[in-house]
Amino acid sequence: MPRPRSLSAVIFLDKNAEYNGALMVIPGSHRSYLRCPGRQTAANWEKSLQSQVYGTPSEEHIRALAESLGIKHCTGHPGDVLLFDSNLLHASSGNRSPFPRRNLFVAFNAWSNRLQAPFYSEEQRPEHVAHRERVQRFQR
């Protein structure tokens, strides 16, 4: 993606609460530019939801933003939709409760900002993770 400009949509399939690891965000963090050191390895997308080594800001920078802006849990019920700037710092902890927390994440990006060859990765994400073809508009 040439410019870090996209929209994330999260569709809650289950109840999302603090006790089952609801998504956490740092409100307003999308207005701060944080460098993400390192180069992602091949097939990073396969493990990035469990642990992200490269491509994330330093813990020091995240802590500074969290101290100044706070951290909010994004809670909701099945069918709720959360929309946010994809640059908003977000993370979730593991679900240690007996209650499921499943969500569907979709990133939307303008065709004018379509995906190109990766800048900091050894290979591009597969088509089912990062769609590169223009989606036709729905006709009524």
Side-chain angles (χ1 to χ4, degrees), residues 24-36:
M24 296 176 286
V25 299
I26 299 179
S29 60
H30 63 291
R31 296 185 193 105
S32 300
Y33 175 75
L34 299 178
R35 292 187 61 101
C36 299

Side-chain angles (χ1 to χ4, degrees), residues 62-137:
I62 294 171
R63 180 178 290 114
L65 277 177
E67 287 173 352
S68 66
L69 300 172
I71 296 176
K72 302 286 184 195
H73 283 89
C74 301
T75 60
H77 299 279
D80 287 351
V81 177
L82 172 68
L83 301 172
F84 62 92
D85 184 301
S86 296
N87 293 301
L88 185 72
L89 289 179
H90 58 283
S92 59
S93 58
N95 182 358
R96 302 253 183 221
S97 80
F99 306 104
R101 183 206 65 212
R102 295 171 297 168
N103 296 313
L104 175 64
F105 280 74
V106 181
F108 294 95
N109 185 34
W111 181 249
S112 59
N113 194 39
R114 64 188 165 275
L115 299 178
Q116 299 177 0
F119 299 113
Y120 296 105
S121 180
E122 294 176 7
E123 62 183 39
Q124 65 186 23
R125 292 175 178 173
E127 186 67 19
H128 71 277
V129 174
H131 190 65
R132 287 169 184 76
E133 299 299 319
R134 187 176 190 115
V135 176
Q136 297 300 315
R137 293 183 184 192

